[in-house]
Amino acid sequence: MQMHPFGTSFYNSIHRRLCHSLQRSEFYSTIFLCFCSNLRVHCKSLKMKKNLTLSYLLVLLACSESTFTNAQTSSSTGLKDYYKKYFPIGVSVMPSNLKGDEAELILQQFNSLTPENSMKMAPIHPEESRYYWNDADSIVAFAQRNGLKLRGHTLCWHNQTPGWLFKDSAGNAVTKEVLLQRLKDHITTVVSRYKGKIYAWDVVNEAISDKPDEYLRPSLWYQICGEEYIAKAFEYAHAADPGAVLFYNDYNEINATKREKIYKLVKGLKDAGVHIGGVGLQGHWAINEPSKEQLDSTLKKFADLGVKIQFTELDISVYPKEHNARERKPQDADTAFSAEKENKQIEEYKMCFELFRKYRNVVSGVTFWNVSDRHSWLDNFPVRGRKDHPLLFDRDLKPKKVFWEVVKF
């Protein structure tokens, strides 16, 4: 039996390093083995064989590690490509994101868009007789032009809702009948405009109360219309575009008490024959939550409903989770993206995507909330002006270490 010039363990060690550096590429591993084999055949002396083989190994290893370093700073394979057999990977956008380097990153990495603010009620319908379409239209046009899927967000919410909806000309609260008619007019107008261009809508957003002993949020929608406004919103949306997948969307879904209330609402709508096709779990998480048990039990719970699940607003803050806005404290001055914060974020993202893949039969989309760490809504929540780093791309739009862990499966 012919012996390797440096012993089997030497070659195996170098081979493992090469394969790791090249992200386990079978193509490069094969080239490596073939060249080593050829060198052993053609070298006439053991000394030449050692020198040439060693020289080649060192050159190839240096090239492979350089290739991997370059790949880590500029991935031509996007998130959407790694997950093409699983689910679409989306991102929330404003019109300003759709030009320059951010637009390039979006097209490289994502295959689905969600308007961050442009389709919410106040921005798109500021006055009863006036709609503002420019921003929403620009996002729809970008998606259409580039073959991207598009989610609509959101048709009915207690926040970013124009005050005129709830008042008559005298400034008094409108009746239930008037408010439902205004809701119908709004939903019909907006959904009809984008029929066939938006494949899914967040119809009702955050209707569940955060208080443990309270079921529905006591919003003006609820105070005037009662619970009926929720089913009516789905009815109006389905009538305007029967082909769209309609979602109920909410946050803090990993909390067991709130999870049960969200489940109760969605199941009740489904049992009543309301056209609801999915539940949107926002996924505004942090380095200390959710636990694997929390997320797994949440996914299992909603999978049993027989509707699709989408993670609609995903980000993972590098600070411990806080649910309410607060004033700045001295310790908030430390906004450095330390190795400790990075490692905790990596572990949390890895765990989340492992479970997303586990439930691939019911998870039909994952959308990140904002494009990169260059800008995040978490820069101003819960503490205004405290820089966060919650996404997979840094402020220079380069993949962070966490990116490579999310796509390594």
Side-chain angles (χ1 to χ4, degrees):
M1 181 177 67
Q2 184 181 18
M3 299 295 292
H4 293 295
F6 300 99
T8 303
S9 61
F10 174 83
Y11 283 101
N12 288 343
S13 174
I14 296 295
H15 180 248
R16 283 194 299 271
R17 288 185 65 192
L18 283 164
C19 289
H20 175 73
S21 296
L22 293 160
Q23 295 186 288
R24 301 189 299 277
S25 167
E26 294 180 5
F27 174 73
Y28 285 106
S29 300
T30 302
I31 290 177
F32 163 71
L33 291 175
C34 288
F35 269 94
C36 287
S37 175
N38 288 338
L39 282 169
R40 285 195 295 273
V41 169
H42 293 293
C43 292
K44 294 183 179 179
S45 69
L46 180 60
K47 183 177 181 180
M48 182 184 294
K49 196 183 299 181
K50 288 181 180 178
N51 291 339
L52 285 174
T53 304
L54 181 57
S55 297
Y56 178 74
L57 290 176
L58 293 175
V59 170
L60 183 57
L61 183 58
C63 291
S64 69
E65 291 180 345
S66 174
T67 300
F68 182 57
T69 300
N70 291 337
Q72 283 193 306
T73 59
S74 178
S75 172
S76 59
T77 303
L79 287 166
K80 60 182 172 57
D81 304 308
Y82 287 105
Y83 281 90
K84 63 183 178 181
K85 294 182 180 179
Y86 290 84
F87 34 71
I89 300 290
V91 63
S92 73
V93 296
M94 299 180 290
S96 59
N97 300 129
L98 305 182
K99 53 189 175 184
D101 54 358
E102 288 185 307
E104 292 177 12
L105 183 72
I106 289 166
L107 294 177
Q108 181 188 70
Q109 298 291 335
F110 305 101
N111 53 8
S112 177
L113 300 182
T114 299
E116 182 179 359
N117 288 301
S118 301
M119 291 185 184
K120 291 172 180 173
M121 295 185 86
I124 206 169
H125 196 179
E127 299 172 4
E128 184 170 9
S129 59
R130 181 171 69 89
Y131 286 85
Y132 176 75
W133 300 112
N134 291 12
D135 289 352
D137 282 356
S138 68
I139 294 171
V140 173
F142 183 89
Q144 292 273 293
R145 191 163 61 246
N146 293 288
L148 305 178
K149 297 171 74 72
L150 188 62
R151 301 185 81 259
H153 175 83
T154 178
L155 295 172
C156 182
W157 191 26
H158 65 280
N159 272 334
Q160 289 182 262
T161 301
W164 64 262
L165 269 167
F166 306 107
K167 297 178 181 180
D168 62 19
S169 58
N172 300 314
V174 296
T175 64
K176 174 182 176 178
E177 291 72 26
V178 169
L179 185 54
L180 287 178
Q181 184 61 51
R182 288 177 173 179
L183 179 63
K184 181 179 182 179
D185 291 344
H186 172 83
I187 290 176
T188 302
T189 301
V190 174
V191 174
S192 297
R193 183 178 184 88
Y194 301 119
K195 181 179 180 180
K197 298 178 181 179
I198 290 178
Y199 85 97
W201 278 99
D202 292 329
V203 177
V204 177
N205 197 44
E206 302 174 5
I208 297 294
S209 174
D210 290 319
K211 297 179 180 179
D213 58 349
E214 188 174 63
Y215 176 40
L216 293 176
R217 184 187 300 275
S219 66
L220 287 174
W221 293 108
Y222 182 73
Q223 292 175 37
I224 296 172
C225 299
E227 186 175 348
E228 184 181 356
Y229 83 91
I230 300 173
K232 285 294 186 182
F234 280 91
E235 175 188 320
Y236 304 150
H238 179 69
D241 186 356
V245 184
L246 307 181
F247 283 79
Y248 173 75
N249 193 53
D250 216 325
Y251 65 93
N252 204 19
E253 63 293 305
I254 58 171
N255 175 278
T257 301
K258 189 167 184 181
R259 180 174 66 216
E260 289 299 323
K261 292 189 285 185
I262 296 171
Y263 181 92
K264 175 184 175 181
L265 175 62
V266 176
K267 187 176 188 303
L269 292 170
K270 194 167 180 286
D271 290 347
V274 173
H275 289 279
I276 180 169
V279 57
L281 309 179
Q282 292 183 12
H284 290 303
W285 298 328
I287 53 174
N288 63 327
E289 67 171 44
S291 68
K292 185 173 184 178
E293 181 182 7
Q294 277 181 311
L295 184 54
D296 191 58
S297 60
T298 298
L299 279 159
K300 187 178 186 304
K301 180 76 174 179
F302 289 113
D304 292 341
L305 271 175
V307 297
K308 291 298 183 182
I309 298 170
Q310 290 196 358
F311 291 91
T312 54
E313 305 181 23
L314 180 63
D315 46 32
I316 295 181
S317 172
V318 298
Y319 306 104
K321 182 68 176 181
E322 297 179 77
H323 294 277
N324 300 302
R326 62 169 175 82
E327 294 298 318
R328 192 177 185 88
K329 298 178 181 179
Q331 58 265 35
D332 294 321
D334 180 14
T335 61
F337 188 44
S338 65
E340 180 183 8
K341 290 174 183 174
E342 182 174 39
N343 290 334
K344 288 180 179 179
Q345 186 185 61
I346 286 172
E347 291 307 310
E348 195 70 17
Y349 262 120
K350 279 176 60 178
M351 179 273 293
C352 292
F353 272 85
E354 285 171 5
L355 289 175
F356 297 167
R357 295 192 298 271
K358 174 183 175 181
Y359 287 90
R360 62 187 293 181
N361 290 335
V362 291
V363 175
S364 64
V366 175
T367 295
F368 289 87
W369 206 246
N370 300 131
V371 177
S372 74
D373 290 348
R374 182 178 290 180
H375 164 76
S376 166
W377 75 285
L378 291 171
D379 294 339
N380 291 299
F381 184 88
V383 181
R384 180 162 291 278
R386 183 185 68 173
K387 183 62 189 170
D388 208 331
H389 312 266
L391 299 161
L392 302 191
F393 301 92
D394 65 20
R395 281 181 277 190
D396 295 322
L397 309 186
K398 303 299 184 186
K400 293 156 61 177
K401 290 181 183 178
V402 64
F403 172 95
W404 300 104
E405 296 301 324
V406 164
V407 301
K408 188 167 67 178
F409 59 92

